[in-house]
Amino acid sequence: MDEKRLKNRGLRFAVFLYCALFFQLTYSAAAVHAANQATVSSFAFPFEHFMPFVSWMIIPYMSSGLFFALVPFCCRSREELLVYTKRFSFITIVSICCFFIFPLRFSFDRPSVEHPIFKFFFTFLSKHDSPFNQAPSLHVAYACLFWSVLGRKLKGWTRWVVGIWLLFMGIATLTVYQHHLVDVLTALILVHVGFALFPYPFETGQRRLFMGKHGDLPFFATVRSEEVNLESTVFRRNQGIGNVYYAIGWSLLLLALWGGTYTFVVYFLCWPSLVCFAVGRNYIISNPRFLKKENGWIPGFKKLFYCPYQGIYWLLWRFFRRRNNPPLFEVLPGCYVGPRATRGDLNTLGLNKRVLVFDLAAELEEIVSLHVGENYHSFPLLDIAAIKLSDAERILAALVISYQQLKRGENMIIHCTMGYSRSMIFAVLLSQKILSLDLMDAIDRVKSHNKHLVLHKHALELMKVLVGKNS
């Protein structure tokens, strides 16, 4: 049995008890603080006056307590339980601070309820909750926290049922007249910030599946351990970046609604918010080909939808490429590495004919003069994300073979968008492989050409695993 698997329910119960007591004490203190204020303001968007009151949704709303008690017992390992506790603590502490600093109250009158069951729950809610402690909505934040655990555990129809129920739990905050929309949106922003700061652990089941692909011979034990650690790094880093995009998307949507009296503002900010959600999703699932097709071209409908995303990257590329002088440097004879080049860059370096191109950029298309038939190879990688070992092995193998087969007068270009990280990783790996260098010597060699080289911890970890496998 995995040593990290939770062996007794005592720790889970302790976490549940901590969460319950911490929530009750801090939430009650914030409510008392708001109630003692001379005036407590409220904030609602104009269109919220059309929000319907749905009495039966008090049922999913009140079920939050049941999930609150059960979810800690669904955590299978100490690491998973620790992450859950950190996320809960972060969300609760930040929310309570907001309640103290910016106290708000719900401003609509709740209609009377005649149904006896629903009336019982609304009476209970009135006695044990208050119209204060609004933004961010802890009810919505906790629903997302519950799903972060249950969504990974449940399969099939049960996953759908629980997911829809938790969605109703979040929507119910609006339809039972307990929260305004600003409370929901600020809760979603807070949740994704918390998820980014405390990424979900690489699950035990995922570790077993990954290691099972590499056999059970003792000889491979060290290699397998390093590869599993690398996969864990990829999982956690890309998950964190994806959640940052989600948080930005909700923030833009909130700003769009805030400027709701100006239709242009709504359209202008809602579009980028949707783009952020789409990009964030592709980071979380580590999908670098969400834009480009196999041949490296980006379909027209994707260019239209992702225009804000690509536009920002184009501006960043135009700005940061000025720091590269020359834009491309020769890391090996006939092999040039750097950012996405322009036609002028190619003319300056004399790279006008017989050029083999390896495009690692996932965000922008290659310039037309380099996107030529069999000489162009597209291997998109997500910017600032951790690279999967399988993708790195495939790219490095193609680079080594292509470089070794270069003919006299031919040149090869390896580039990403900015030329600081993705292309530099493979410049180091190719130099190490071709020249049979020590990894640190290869890094120093590339750094001597490009002082702006950026190699994060995950990149160094990847390179060490690759060099170890190929030695």
Side-chain angles (χ1 to χ4, degrees), residues 14-60:
V15 169
F16 158 69
L17 196 61
Y18 159 75
C19 293
L21 292 175
F22 187 69
F23 165 76
Q24 190 61 43
L25 292 173
T26 56
Y27 189 86
S28 300
V32 170
H33 170 75
N36 290 331
Q37 301 298 306
T39 57
V40 178
S41 60
S42 62
F43 179 89
F45 296 112
F47 60 83
E48 288 190 71
H49 291 279
F50 299 101
M51 183 69 67
F53 175 77
V54 185
S55 60
W56 65 264
M57 290 198 77
I58 191 64
I59 302 297

Side-chain angles (χ1 to χ4, degrees), residues 132-356:
F132 308 113
N133 294 354
Q134 292 291 295
S137 166
L138 277 174
H139 216 86
V140 171
Y142 288 160
C144 296
L145 181 60
F146 301 152
W147 179 245
S148 72
V149 175
L150 299 177
R152 298 175 184 276
K153 300 291 182 289
L154 302 176
K155 306 294 180 184
W157 66 269
T158 54
R159 188 175 187 272
W160 279 96
V161 170
V162 172
I164 292 173
W165 188 268
L166 288 173
L167 179 62
F168 278 8
M169 185 190 298
I171 295 174
T173 59
L174 301 173
T175 57
V176 302
Y177 283 16
Q178 187 67 19
H179 282 280
H180 291 300
L181 185 57
V182 68
D183 312 338
V184 175
L185 293 178
T186 50
L188 292 170
I189 295 169
L190 175 61
V191 161
H192 287 295
V193 171
F195 288 2
L197 292 174
F198 308 106
Y200 202 85
F202 196 57
E203 292 183 338
T204 302
Q206 292 172 294
R207 293 176 184 270
R208 286 201 301 268
L209 178 63
F210 183 84
M211 294 184 74
K213 295 178 181 180
H214 298 268
D216 298 315
L217 296 176
F219 177 78
F220 295 107
T222 302
V223 174
R224 288 188 303 174
S225 177
E226 291 177 349
E227 292 183 27
V228 171
N229 290 336
L230 179 60
E231 288 298 306
S232 177
T233 300
V234 172
F235 179 81
R236 293 169 67 89
R237 180 175 178 83
N238 295 357
Q239 183 187 90
I241 297 171
N243 277 296
V244 169
Y245 271 105
Y246 279 145
I248 294 172
W250 290 119
S251 300
L252 291 173
L253 184 58
L254 178 60
L255 290 174
L257 295 176
W258 217 309
T261 53
Y262 305 97
T263 306
F264 172 76
V265 175
V266 175
Y267 291 140
F268 183 76
L269 292 176
C270 278
W271 179 17
S273 71
L274 294 176
V275 172
C276 285
F277 296 146
V279 174
R281 175 59 182 167
N282 283 289
Y283 267 87
I284 284 179
I285 64 176
S286 296
N287 175 29
R289 288 196 173 275
F290 73 98
L291 269 177
K292 291 185 175 180
K293 297 193 294 185
E294 291 292 331
N295 60 8
W297 294 116
I298 300 176
F301 73 94
K302 289 187 177 181
K303 286 183 180 179
L304 180 62
F305 177 72
Y306 286 100
C307 180
Y309 176 71
Q310 289 191 287
I312 290 174
Y313 263 98
W314 185 85
L315 292 174
L316 291 173
W317 168 68
R318 294 292 297 182
F319 176 77
F320 283 107
R321 65 183 300 276
R322 298 175 183 176
R323 300 171 63 184
N324 295 283
N325 189 22
L328 299 170
F329 66 88
E330 195 170 12
V331 66
L332 292 169
C335 180
Y336 293 82
V337 183
R340 179 176 180 265
T342 64
R343 185 66 186 173
D345 297 333
L346 300 179
N347 291 334
T348 300
L349 296 170
L351 301 175
N352 298 315
K353 300 179 180 178
R354 303 175 70 180
V355 178
L356 194 64

